[in-house]
Amino acid sequence: MHAEADTDALTALYTRNVDAVYRICYVYLRSRADTEDAVQSVFLRYLQKQPVFRDENHERGWLLLTAKNICRDMLRSWWRRHRVGLDELPEPAVPMRDKEPSELTEALLALPEKYRITLYLYYWEGYPAREVAALLGCRESTVRTRLQRGREMLKNDLGGSCHETGSFGQA
C-alpha cells in the first residue's frame, strides 16, 4: 500500500509540473527530442534526490531550477557542440503545448538566451522579477533590464503588435 501511495504522489507531482518543465526545457534547447530527454532527466533527478518541499511553489521552483541546470549541461556537452544533424531542419509543428500565437512563440525563441529565459519565466510561468532573479542566479535589477530589453526586441520583431495590444506590461 505504501508503494501505491508513493506512485500516486509521483503521478500528481508529474501531472502538476510536466508542462512547465517541458516549456522551460524547450525554451533552452529548441529541439523536441532534446526537450523530452531533459524532462525525463528532471523527473529522474527528483526520484534520485527525493527532496521534501514546503509547498507547491517550492516544488515547482526546484523542478524548474533543476530543468535549467540539466539543459545548460546538455548545451555545454561535447556531443551537442560537435554534432550536425536533423536539429537544423525546421520542426513541422509548434512544440509549445499551450495555445500561444505561433508568431509570438517564434519571436520569443529567436531571442538571445538571457532574454528568452527571463521573458518566459516572467510571462508564461508568472514568476515575479525577484523569483526569476533567484532562479537565474542574478540580481533583480538585471532581470528588470532583461525584461525591458527583451520586450523591446519582441516589439521590433513583431512590428510593435505586442506593445500595442498590452500583452507585455512593465516589470
Side-chain angles (χ1 to χ4, degrees):
M1 187 90 163
H2 181 66
E4 190 173 310
D6 287 346
T7 302
D8 291 344
L10 176 62
T11 301
L13 176 131
Y14 179 84
T15 303
R16 274 192 308 272
N17 296 292
V18 68
D19 287 338
V21 171
Y22 182 92
R23 288 188 304 259
I24 191 72
C25 290
Y26 189 82
V27 168
Y28 270 102
L29 301 171
R30 295 186 272 187
S31 160
R32 188 177 302 160
D34 288 344
T35 297
E36 290 170 358
D37 289 346
V39 170
Q40 180 177 339
S41 295
V42 169
F43 288 101
L44 284 173
R45 177 116 5 122
Y46 167 78
L47 287 173
Q48 292 168 342
K49 302 280 184 185
Q50 293 290 314
V52 177
F53 303 117
R54 293 184 305 267
D55 54 29
E56 284 186 19
N57 286 335
H58 182 223
E59 166 188 284
R60 185 182 187 114
W62 186 91
L63 290 168
L64 292 178
L65 185 60
T66 301
K68 176 192 94 161
N69 292 335
I70 286 172
C71 290
R72 286 216 157 143
D73 289 346
M74 289 174 72
L75 290 170
R76 284 191 296 252
S77 75
W78 180 90
W79 181 82
R80 182 160 178 112
R81 287 190 321 249
H82 290 89
R83 73 177 177 167
V84 176
L86 298 176
D87 288 356
E88 274 128 318
L89 296 175
E91 294 193 30
V94 175
M96 301 296 257
R97 293 183 178 185
D98 289 341
K99 301 289 185 212
E100 291 96 5
S102 60
E103 183 181 11
L104 178 57
T105 302
E106 290 173 16
L108 177 70
L109 293 175
L111 293 177
E113 180 180 298
K114 65 184 179 180
Y115 302 112
R116 183 174 70 237
I117 301 303
T118 304
L119 286 167
Y120 170 77
L121 288 171
Y122 187 80
Y123 288 107
W124 272 267
E125 293 303 326
Y127 282 102
R130 175 181 38 79
E131 291 182 29
V132 172
L135 283 169
L136 298 179
C138 61
R139 296 186 340 205
E140 186 175 347
S141 60
T142 303
V143 168
R144 291 188 184 285
T145 300
R146 288 178 183 174
L147 287 169
Q148 181 181 3
R149 289 179 182 162
R151 281 191 298 263
E152 283 299 314
M153 288 178 198
L154 281 175
K155 179 182 170 186
N156 292 335
D157 290 348
L158 297 172
S161 61
C162 274
H163 184 68
E164 292 165 9
T165 60
S167 296
F168 293 102
Q170 295 298 319

